[in-house]
Amino acid sequence: RRVHGEIPDPSVMATLDRLIRLCDSADSKDKITKAVQYGLKLLVIAHLTQRIQIKHSDKAQLYIRTLSDARKVIRTFLWLKGLRTIRDYIKSGDTSLNSQLDLLSGIFGTCSDLLDDSTWIVKKGEWDNSLAGRISLYAERAWMLSLWVDIPITLIALSKTPDDVEKRLELIKQLCDLVQCTCQGGCFPSLESDVGAAISGLLSALLGLRKNWRKTQ
């Protein structure tokens, strides 16, 4: 019990400050929500396959859908970040391989995020569900293309600094995203896997959260 007037432990206050800065970031909020979403999804899958028993699994599935909607709101207008990448490329006039790969990543990422926003708007507006499904399919394909560009960018950076731990973890995160995108079945229906998508999605969220946590130092 803290005595009145006693100075709090500086390390505790520093950690609290880092937590506040972490939760102040929209990307961190997305990663936290994603980790809870896919963690719950894994529990529900384990319940449905009778590996474990959880009470109120129907409510857990409702929470998963609610968390998915929450992430859509958090990520709204994320495509503007991609437009900034495109703008920077035009302003710089740099035609190097890295710069062109960044441009491609920005284009595909912008398309994916914009289509993602459109999917949510159509779905929540209770318009044609088949239209929402088609838009979602194109969003996944654009995400897949952006990952096929982002991974070589990271590999090129790693070839220059092979001992860079952060770059290695970034590569692992991108590979997790690639597995998740593949297992969601939009690009390769025969490879659809709820378990694979849930595990890779959870790992990607935790790695992304770790990266953001380090940025608060």
Side-chain angles (χ1 to χ4, degrees):
R1 190 164 66 92
R2 189 168 76 87
V3 179
H4 180 69
E6 181 183 346
I7 299 175
D9 187 338
S11 64
V12 174
M13 297 306 295
T15 301
L16 181 59
D17 286 342
R18 290 184 69 184
L19 282 171
I20 291 171
R21 290 197 296 273
L22 179 74
C23 295
D24 195 43
S25 160
D27 186 60
S28 295
K29 291 175 185 175
D30 176 51
K31 296 297 184 290
I32 292 169
T33 309
K34 181 178 180 179
V36 176
Q37 175 192 353
Y38 283 100
L40 274 176
K41 192 169 185 178
L42 273 176
L43 287 176
V44 169
I45 291 171
H47 171 77
L48 294 175
T49 55
Q50 299 183 343
R51 294 181 182 276
I52 63 171
Q53 293 295 320
I54 58 174
K55 294 182 178 179
H56 310 300
S57 62
D58 54 334
K59 290 186 178 180
Q61 294 184 63
L62 176 61
Y63 284 135
I64 290 170
R65 291 192 293 271
T66 302
L67 290 168
S68 178
D69 284 340
R71 290 187 61 220
K72 297 292 186 186
V73 175
I74 293 170
R75 293 172 59 84
T76 301
F77 296 119
L78 186 62
W79 47 270
L80 290 173
K81 183 179 178 181
L83 288 181
R84 185 171 59 188
T85 302
I86 297 170
R87 180 207 63 187
D88 291 345
Y89 174 82
I90 295 171
K91 287 177 65 177
S92 70
D94 185 1
T95 58
S96 65
L97 176 60
N98 277 351
S99 184
Q100 290 184 32
L101 287 174
D102 284 337
L103 174 64
L104 278 177
S105 176
I107 292 172
F108 291 138
T110 299
C111 291
S112 176
D113 293 330
L114 187 56
L115 289 167
D116 222 19
D117 282 0
S118 303
T119 301
W120 188 72
I121 291 169
V122 171
K123 189 178 293 184
K124 289 303 168 183
E126 296 185 354
W127 297 350
D128 185 357
N129 284 333
S130 63
L131 175 60
R134 290 196 299 273
I135 297 174
S136 178
L137 183 65
Y138 287 122
E140 277 193 31
R141 289 174 178 175
W143 184 28
M144 175 69 77
L145 288 171
S146 71
L147 289 169
W148 280 116
V149 176
D150 289 339
I151 290 172
I153 291 174
T154 306
L155 286 172
I156 291 171
L158 261 177
S159 68
K160 298 175 181 177
T161 54
D163 296 327
D164 190 331
V165 176
E166 295 305 314
K167 282 284 185 289
R168 290 181 181 181
L169 290 174
E170 180 64 20
L171 178 62
I172 293 172
K173 179 191 175 300
Q174 290 170 347
L175 291 173
C176 286
D177 287 336
L178 185 63
V179 172
Q180 181 192 346
C181 187
T182 301
C183 290
Q184 286 178 178
C187 299
F188 306 102
S190 62
L191 298 177
E192 185 174 358
S193 167
D194 288 340
V195 175
I199 293 174
S200 55
L202 177 60
L203 288 175
S204 171
L206 293 175
L207 286 169
L209 197 56
R210 177 195 175 278
K211 179 180 177 180
N212 288 348
W213 173 255
R214 287 182 61 84
K215 288 180 180 178
T216 63
Q217 288 181 327

